[in-house]
Amino acid sequence: MPANTTAPAAKKKGRRARLLVLVLVLALVGGIGYGAYWGVSTVRTPFPQTTGTLELDGLSEPVDVKRDGYGVPQIYASTDEDLFRAQGYVQAQDRFWEMDVRRHMTAGRLSEMFGKEQVETDAFLRTLGWRHVAQQEYDKLLSPETKKNLQAYADGVNAYLKGKEGGDIAVEYTALSFANDYKIEPWAPVDSVAWLKAMAWDLRSNLQDEIDRSLMTSRLTPQQIKQLYPRYPYKTHRPIVDRGGVDPATGSFDPSAENESGAESDTGTGTGTDSGTGDGSGTGTGLGSGTGSDSGTGTGTGSGTGTSSGLDTGTGTGTGTAGTGTDTGTAGTGTGTADTPQGASEGFRTQMSSLAGSLEKIPALFGPNGNGIGSNSWVISGKYTTTGKPLLANDPHLAPQLPSLWYQMGLHCRKVTNTCGYDVSGYTFSGMPGVVIGHNQDIAWGMTNLGADVSDLYLEKVTDSGYQYGGKELPFTTRDETIKVAGGGSRTITVRTTNNGPLVSDRSKELGKVGEEAPVDNLAPDRGDGYAVALRWTALEPGRTMDAVFKLNRAKDFQQFRAAAADFAVPSQNLIYADSKGAEGNIGYQAPGRIPVRQEGHDGTLPAPGWDPKYTWKKEYIPFEELPWEQNPSRGYIVTANQAVIDEDEYRYPLTKDWGYGARSQRINDLIEAKTKDGAKVSTEDMRVMQTDSSSEIARLLTPYLLKIDFSDPHVREAQKLLEGWDYTQDSDSGAAAYFNAVWRNTLKLAFGNKLPKELRPKGECLTVPPADSTGPADEQDRLVRECGQRDADTAQPDGGDRWYEVVRGLLKDQDNEWWTSARSRTHEATKTRDGLLKRAMEDARWELTAKLGKDVSSWSWGRLHQLNLENQTLGTSGPGLLKTLLNRGPWNLSGGEAAVNATGWNAAGGYGVVWVPSMRMVVTVGDWDKSRWINLTGASGHAYNAHYTDQTDKWVKGELLEWAYGPKAVDAATDETLVLTPPGGKNS
C-alpha cells in the first residue's frame, strides 16, 4: 500500500484526536467511574496548598489565609501591599486558568491559546481595543494608590506562577499541551484593568435592540416595530426613583423635588425624538416620526420633518391621537427625502446581520443580551426590619459557567490604619484585586445594571483614506495589530477609527461587500464601495472605574460612597447602599456612570448617519451631580432590578428608550409592601425567600384567557386542566408551569416569531414566506421563498422577556388585531383572532410536551424542561465530548423562570434550557455582619474534582444561603484550613 495513503489530517482534526488521546489516557490512569479522579499526577497536582507555611516574595510581614469548609478564603495582612499580593497569590491558586483565558479574551489573543479558529474573534476584539484603552487608563488616569495595589496583586499572581509548568497550574493546560506549545506569561497590572471592559461589554445596554430594530424593517412597518417596543409602563411598574429632578439653581439633582420639566426632555409639547402627533413616515425604508411627543396632551393633526436616527428622514403629515402619558398615536403617511440611502435597505440589513453575528462570536461571559436579563437588588430601612437596621439583598443575573464568574473572599487588615486601610468581604472577579460587591466594617453595597444607552452604531461613508463628516473628508486614525496564532503564523490587521469610533464592519467579509449593488438616493453620499459601520461606546474612552472599586471598599458613609460612585465610569450600574448609623441606619441609591447626551432628533434607538454632525454626541456626558440619587426615601426601601431609573417625563436627560420593563422590580416592590403593610417586619429569612420567588407575571395575565377556550380534544383539555387553580408559581416540580411556559413559547412563535425576518429567528427554524421587503408580513403573496433562521438560539427573538409581556398586554383586549393572525399549516387552519391563535398555541404546546415529557400530564414538571448545565470555560464548551464530561457538571432541574425574581432565564425562541441565572445571592445584615448570608453558583475552586469545584451548587439550586463570617471570632470559628504566607526567610505570625 502506498505510504501517502495515510497523509496527515487537517490540523483541527489532529488537535481533536490528540485531546481524545489525552482523555483516554487520563481515563485509563485514574478511572472515571463515579467521576472520582482522572489520575493523581494529572488532577491533584494543581490543587492548591491550603495549610502549613509558604514563602511569598515581596511580603513585609506574614499573611494568614483562613479557609472555611467551602474553601472560601479570608486573608489577614498588615499592609495594603501585603494584602493584595496575597489576594493575587490565592486567586491564582484557585482560578488561574480562568484568569488566563479572560486576559487573552480582553486582549484579543485567544488565538495564541486555541488556534486559528479564534482569529476572527480576536480581530473583532482588537478592533474594539479593550486592552489598548485599559493601558491608557493605567498610564494616565488611575491614582498612584490604585496602581500600587494592582502591581502588588500582579506580583502575587506571578509569585504563584514562578517555577511552575502548565500542568502544575491547571489540568486544562495539560490538555492544551497536546494541541500546541502555549507558554504562560507573567501577569501584568493592566490585565486586571482590562477585565472591566469585558464586564462593560456584556452590560452594554441596547446595542442589540438597535440592530434588531434595523433588521425588522425588511418585514415590518414602522408602526408594527413600534408596537414591539412599547413605552415603559410607569403607572404599573414603579421606577427606582419616584420623585426628584435637577435643581436649576444648583445644577444638581434634588431627590426631594416633586418633578422636573427640563429643557432637554424629549417629552411634552414641541419637537420630539421618538414619535409624535402625526407619526409621519417618509417614503423608503425606515422609521419616520413626526413633530411632537408621545406624551403630549390632546388630539390633533401634525406635520413636520421626522427623523429616524439613521434610516431615513421624511417630511410627512398625519393625524394622530396622543393622550397624556400614553403611546397611542396612529401612523400617518408622507413623502420623504433621505439623508441616508433609501434604496440601500438590503445592504444595510446585511451590515446589521453580519455585525450581530460578530457579536455572537465574542465569549458571553455575562450572558445573552436581551430583555428580562439583569439583576436584583433591594435594601430595606431598619424601620421595617426585625433587626432594627437595614437589610440589603443582591443577586446579579449572568451566564451560568463553571467556575462561577464570582469569587468569594475577605480582605482584612489586622488593624485598619493609614498603611492598611481595608476590612472588606464579598464577591470579586478572579484576576482583579479588591471586592466588587459586599460590605466593610461601616457600609454595605450592591449593584445591578442601570441599562443606560451608552453605545450607538453609525453608518459611515468611507474611502481608502478617510470618511465623510460635515461635508468634508477626514482621515482615519489607524493602528496595526498583529494576531499570533498557536502552531505558528500570524495575521496583521489595521484598525480604522472615525470620530464616532472604530469601524467594526472592517472585521467581517460580508460587511466589506455591503452596498456594492444597492441603489442610493441622490441626496445620500456617493456609495463608492459601500457604507461602513462604526461603534461609539463609552467604555472605549479611558476612565477611573478601578479607582472606584478601591474607594467603595474603604467608604465609611454615604458621602464617601457617592464620591466613589463618581469614578464608576463603565459599566453604568445602579448602586444601592446601607449603613447602621443612627437609630435605624441609613439606606441610599446612586445612578453613576458615563452616560452620553445626544442631540435633539437622535434618540439612540437606530443606527445614525455618521456623516451628519447633528447625530454626534455632545462633548460632555451627563454631569455626575445631575444623575439621580436618593437617601432614606419616605417609602422606607429601594428596589433596583433593571427597571426605569426615573420617569422620563420628569427628568431632563433621556437615559434610554430600552429599559427592562420592570416585571421583577414590581414583584419585589409588591412583596415588600405585602410584608410590611400591617406593621410586620422583614427578616433575613424573608429576604432569602423573596430572592427565590418564582411567580410569573405573564402567567397571571394570560392564564384567565387560556382557561376560557373550549377544546373537544380530551388530550388538550387534560393539559388545560393543569392551569385550573394554579398559583402562577414556577416550581421545578410544577406540571402547570411546564405547560404554561410551553403555551407562552408557542404563542410568541405564532404571533410574532414567524413574522420576523430570518436574521432574528433561531438557526434551523425554516419557514415558507413572501420575499423580504414586501408590503408586510400579513399580505398574501403569489411568490413564496424558503427562509431559515440565522440567530443563535440563546439570542433569537422573540426571547419572551418582559418586553414581550407588555407587547401582549397591549393586544389582549383586541381580539382581531393583525398580530393574532397565523398562517395555515399541514395540521392547522389559519387563525385570525386572539382566541384562535391561543387555541392553536395550546394544542401545539400539548404535543410538544408529549414528545419531550411523555403523554401522561401528571408526570410533567417544569424542571425537566428547565435545566441548568454548568460548562467549564473553553475546553468544556468546545473540546471533545469525553473531555466535556470530565470538566462539566449537571443537569439540575430548576425553579424560576424568565423575568421572575428567581431569574433562571430561558429564551422562548430557542428552547427551555437555562441561559442565565442568579450568579450569586447575598443578604447582608447591616451592622450585625456575622449574621449575613451568601451563596455562589459553583464553588471557590476552578479545579475539576477539587472538593470545592461545585460544592455550593446543590444548595444554590434549593435557594439556600451559607453563613458569612466576617469578624475575627466568627472567621476563626468557621476556619477549616489555615495557610501562612511568609516573607522569604522571615518570621511566622
Side-chain angles (χ1 to χ4, degrees):
M1 180 179 290
N4 63 7
T5 57
T6 57
K11 288 184 178 180
K12 184 176 180 180
K13 292 182 178 179
R15 286 196 296 271
R16 188 177 181 89
R18 287 191 292 271
L19 286 172
L20 282 170
V21 170
L22 167 69
V23 173
L24 292 173
V25 170
L26 295 175
L28 290 172
V29 172
I32 59 172
Y34 307 104
Y37 293 97
W38 288 357
V40 173
S41 63
T42 304
V43 176
R44 294 187 63 86
T45 295
F47 288 6
Q49 180 179 337
T50 54
T51 60
T53 302
L54 282 174
E55 292 186 348
L56 177 57
D57 288 342
L59 288 182
S60 63
E61 297 285 342
V63 174
D64 294 333
V65 182
K66 301 181 180 182
R67 293 179 183 262
D68 65 14
Y70 289 90
V72 175
Q74 304 284 337
I75 300 176
Y76 289 83
S78 300
T79 69
D80 289 345
E81 289 179 277
D82 284 354
L83 189 64
F84 293 116
R85 184 173 281 106
Q87 183 183 18
Y89 187 92
V90 170
Q91 286 192 340
Q93 280 186 308
D94 285 335
R95 300 279 193 95
F96 186 76
W97 167 260
E98 176 190 22
M99 293 164 59
D100 202 15
V101 171
R102 284 180 180 176
R103 67 164 164 174
H104 279 78
M105 189 268 287
T106 58
R109 296 175 58 193
L110 291 170
S111 300
E112 296 178 25
M113 296 184 77
F114 306 112
K116 63 183 181 181
E117 290 81 10
Q118 297 299 322
V119 168
E120 294 302 321
T121 298
D122 282 346
F124 193 87
L125 292 166
R126 296 284 186 101
T127 299
L128 294 179
W130 294 350
R131 171 76 184 211
H132 179 73
V133 178
Q135 189 69 59
Q136 290 178 312
E137 291 180 356
Y138 186 81
D139 292 342
K140 300 177 181 180
L141 293 181
L142 296 182
S143 71
E145 181 179 359
T146 293
K147 293 168 75 170
K148 181 181 69 174
N149 294 343
L150 287 165
Q151 186 61 60
Y153 180 90
D155 290 344
V157 175
N158 292 328
Y160 174 74
L161 298 177
K162 186 177 180 181
K164 291 182 174 66
E165 298 293 331
D168 300 325
I169 296 170
V171 71
E172 289 90 341
Y173 289 112
T174 302
L176 202 63
S177 69
F178 282 77
N180 60 59
D181 57 355
Y182 171 76
K183 300 297 182 185
I184 299 171
E185 294 181 358
W187 192 265
V190 178
D191 293 333
S192 298
V193 180
W195 173 240
L196 292 172
K197 303 303 171 186
M199 180 180 173
W201 175 254
D202 274 357
L203 301 175
R204 63 191 179 276
S205 67
N206 76 332
L207 183 60
Q208 193 66 58
D209 287 321
E210 198 170 325
I211 293 171
D212 288 356
R213 282 191 187 94
S214 305
L215 294 171
M216 286 179 184
T217 59
S218 68
R219 291 204 169 273
L220 302 178
T221 67
Q223 184 66 13
Q224 288 170 327
I225 296 173
K226 183 179 175 182
Q227 289 174 332
L228 298 187
Y229 289 88
R231 193 172 188 263
Y232 183 88
Y234 291 101
K235 292 184 177 179
T236 58
H237 292 172
R238 181 188 299 161
I240 298 171
V241 176
D242 54 13
R243 61 185 295 170
V246 178
D247 186 337
T250 64
S252 297
F253 186 87
D254 179 4
S256 64
E258 287 296 328
N259 54 54
E260 175 190 11
S261 179
E264 300 203 31
S265 174
D266 64 345
T267 60
T269 303
T271 301
T273 61
D274 181 22
S275 59
T277 306
D279 197 13
S281 59
T283 299
T285 300
L287 300 182
S289 59
T291 300
S293 168
D294 275 347
S295 57
T297 302
T299 301
T301 301
S303 65
T305 300
T307 60
S308 65
S309 305
L311 288 181
D312 90 292
T313 299
T315 302
T317 61
T319 301
T321 301
T324 301
T326 65
D327 195 14
T328 56
T330 56
T333 61
T335 301
T337 58
D339 284 337
T340 55
Q342 295 177 354
S345 59
E346 181 177 354
F348 178 75
R349 287 194 306 277
T350 303
Q351 288 175 318
M352 294 300 104
S353 179
S354 183
L355 178 58
S358 296
L359 301 185
E360 287 180 351
K361 293 178 183 178
I362 298 178
L365 295 177
F366 291 94
N369 201 270
N371 292 102
I373 306 168
S375 306
N376 301 324
S377 68
W378 66 94
V379 59
I380 302 178
S381 166
K383 179 179 180 180
Y384 297 109
T385 68
T386 58
T387 66
K389 299 293 183 181
L391 294 175
L392 184 150
N394 198 184
D395 56 289
H397 308 157
L398 307 171
Q401 58 183 275
L402 181 60
S404 167
L405 188 76
W406 297 105
Y407 186 89
Q408 299 157 284
M409 71 187 321
L411 301 172
H412 308 278
C413 291
R414 291 191 174 93
K415 184 177 181 181
V416 176
T417 64
N418 291 335
T419 58
C420 198
Y422 296 86
D423 189 10
V424 61
S425 184
Y427 297 84
T428 188
F429 300 124
S430 301
M432 202 176 90
V435 167
V436 176
I437 295 174
H439 71 83
N440 60 28
Q441 69 273 35
D442 295 299
I443 75 166
W445 69 95
M447 60 181 70
T448 62
N449 194 29
L450 191 147
D453 187 354
V454 296
S455 61
D456 278 329
L457 294 173
Y458 286 89
L459 293 181
E460 303 282 3
K461 170 57 190 166
V462 303
T463 65
D464 289 341
S465 57
Y467 60 98
Q468 188 175 125
Y469 181 74
K472 300 178 181 179
E473 181 172 298
L474 303 180
F476 293 115
T477 300
T478 63
R479 71 177 188 274
D480 290 336
E481 297 274 358
T482 300
I483 300 170
K484 298 179 181 179
V485 182
S490 63
R491 173 183 167 185
T492 299
I493 64 169
T494 298
V495 177
R496 302 188 295 172
T497 301
T498 74
N499 62 329
N500 290 315
L503 292 183
V504 291
S505 55
D506 281 353
R507 302 284 74 87
S508 167
K509 293 179 181 178
E510 288 181 278
L511 293 176
K513 299 180 180 179
V514 166
E516 290 182 1
E517 299 179 1
V520 295
D521 188 271
N522 290 333
L523 294 181
D526 181 66
R527 178 183 66 226
D529 292 329
Y531 294 91
V533 181
L535 172 65
R536 183 82 186 267
W537 178 37
T538 56
L540 298 185
E541 299 177 27
R544 293 188 170 91
T545 303
M546 199 71 240
D547 283 346
V549 172
F550 291 115
K551 287 182 179 180
L552 273 175
N553 286 194
R554 299 192 309 271
K556 295 182 178 299
D557 54 35
F558 190 59
Q559 287 69 36
Q560 291 184 14
F561 166 82
R562 293 193 67 211
D567 286 337
F568 209 106
V570 295
S572 187
Q573 298 286 287
N574 295 306
L575 299 179
I576 60 169
Y577 167 93
D579 68 44
S580 60
K581 298 176 177 64
E584 297 171 343
N586 299 286
I587 63 174
Y589 164 80
Q590 176 68 58
R594 187 182 284 158
I595 303 174
V597 180
R598 294 171 176 84
Q599 300 191 63
E600 186 176 327
H602 177 32
D603 65 5
T605 60
L606 290 164
W611 51 80
D612 190 340
K614 69 183 180 183
Y615 290 96
T616 304
W617 291 357
K618 292 186 177 181
K619 185 177 181 180
E620 302 296 331
Y621 296 106
I622 299 177
F624 178 78
E625 294 77 14
E626 299 184 42
L627 289 170
W629 65 276
E630 64 181 0
Q631 184 181 22
N632 297 326
S634 58
R635 81 185 84 89
Y637 57 89
I638 301 169
V639 176
T640 83
N642 315 111
Q643 78 271 40
V645 170
I646 189 170
D647 192 326
E648 64 182 5
D649 294 346
E650 299 178 0
Y651 184 61
R652 67 174 56 184
Y653 296 107
L655 297 175
T656 185
K657 291 290 185 181
D658 292 304
W659 299 112
Y661 281 75
R664 285 180 288 106
S665 62
Q666 192 56 46
R667 176 62 177 173
I668 296 167
N669 274 296
D670 291 345
L671 290 171
I672 295 172
E673 290 180 0
K675 182 67 179 179
T676 59
K677 68 177 181 179
D678 295 325
K681 304 287 187 178
V682 179
S683 67
T684 302
E685 174 64 10
D686 292 329
M687 299 283 275
R688 183 198 68 80
V689 172
M690 290 179 193
Q691 286 182 322
T692 59
D693 181 88
S694 63
S695 178
S696 169
E697 180 178 304
I698 189 60
R700 191 179 302 274
L701 174 68
L702 192 58
T703 298
Y705 291 87
L706 303 180
L707 289 174
K708 292 179 181 179
I709 296 174
D710 293 326
F711 289 99
S712 58
D713 187 324
H715 299 292
V716 181
R717 173 62 184 137
E718 185 181 32
Q720 184 187 37
K721 286 182 178 179
L722 292 172
L723 303 178
E724 295 176 357
W726 180 42
D727 63 358
Y728 315 118
T729 298
Q730 301 170 96
D731 291 334
S732 63
D733 60 357
S734 171
Y739 182 56
F740 174 82
N741 283 319
V743 173
W744 173 236
R745 167 173 149 82
N746 281 278
T747 297
L748 290 170
K749 180 179 179 180
L750 292 169
F752 310 106
N754 290 351
K755 301 179 176 83
L756 296 178
K758 62 180 183 288
E759 294 88 356
L760 273 67
R761 300 201 314 270
K763 292 176 181 177
E765 183 180 283
C766 299
L767 297 172
T768 301
V769 293
D773 289 316
S774 61
T775 57
D779 293 348
E780 292 295 329
Q781 301 291 321
D782 294 332
R783 185 170 68 90
L784 300 177
V785 295
R786 188 72 169 166
E787 287 188 351
C788 297
Q790 299 178 352
R791 189 68 67 82
D792 281 352
D794 291 352
T795 58
Q797 291 293 339
D799 61 20
D802 56 2
R803 170 165 68 90
W804 296 98
Y805 295 7
E806 296 308 310
V807 171
V808 171
R809 191 193 307 275
L811 300 174
L812 274 175
K813 293 183 180 180
D814 185 356
Q815 173 79 255
D816 300 315
N817 191 282
E818 65 175 343
W819 289 108
W820 298 122
T821 63
S822 64
R824 183 176 180 273
S825 72
R826 289 175 298 184
T827 57
H828 290 90
E829 294 298 323
T831 68
K832 295 183 179 181
T833 66
R834 178 199 66 207
D835 289 351
L837 186 140
L838 292 178
K839 182 174 184 178
R840 179 171 174 177
M842 294 175 75
E843 292 170 348
D844 289 349
R846 198 326 173 184
W847 306 125
E848 180 187 5
L849 295 198
T850 297
K852 291 180 179 295
L853 302 179
K855 186 176 180 180
D856 182 2
V857 300
S858 67
S859 70
W860 291 359
S861 68
W862 173 227
R864 290 174 60 199
L865 288 174
H866 191 54
Q867 293 187 325
L868 169 67
N869 286 281
L870 294 173
E871 295 183 339
N872 187 278
Q873 286 191 2
T874 61
L875 299 183
T877 59
S878 59
L882 188 52
L883 186 58
K884 293 180 182 180
T885 300
L886 296 169
L887 294 173
N888 299 341
R889 299 292 182 269
W892 286 269
N893 297 346
L894 296 191
S895 300
E898 174 61 38
V901 179
N902 185 16
T904 57
W906 55 289
N907 185 304
Y912 303 99
V914 176
V915 296
W916 60 87
V917 294
S919 54
M920 63 80 161
R921 297 186 183 103
M922 74 175 194
V923 176
V924 181
T925 306
V926 177
D928 196 357
W929 307 112
D930 291 326
K931 292 184 179 178
S932 301
R933 299 292 183 266
W934 63 352
I935 195 80
N936 207 349
L937 174 63
T938 61
S941 179
H943 301 293
Y945 294 106
N946 184 280
H948 305 305
Y949 192 47
T950 56
D951 58 339
Q952 297 186 47
T953 307
D954 286 343
K955 290 183 178 295
W956 176 94
V957 168
K958 297 174 184 177
E960 298 177 10
L961 299 176
L962 304 176
E963 293 184 357
W964 181 355
Y966 172 73
K969 292 182 179 179
V971 169
D972 285 343
T975 296
D976 271 13
E977 299 174 313
T978 300
L979 173 68
V980 179
L981 302 174
T982 67
K987 60 185 179 180
N988 293 338
S989 60

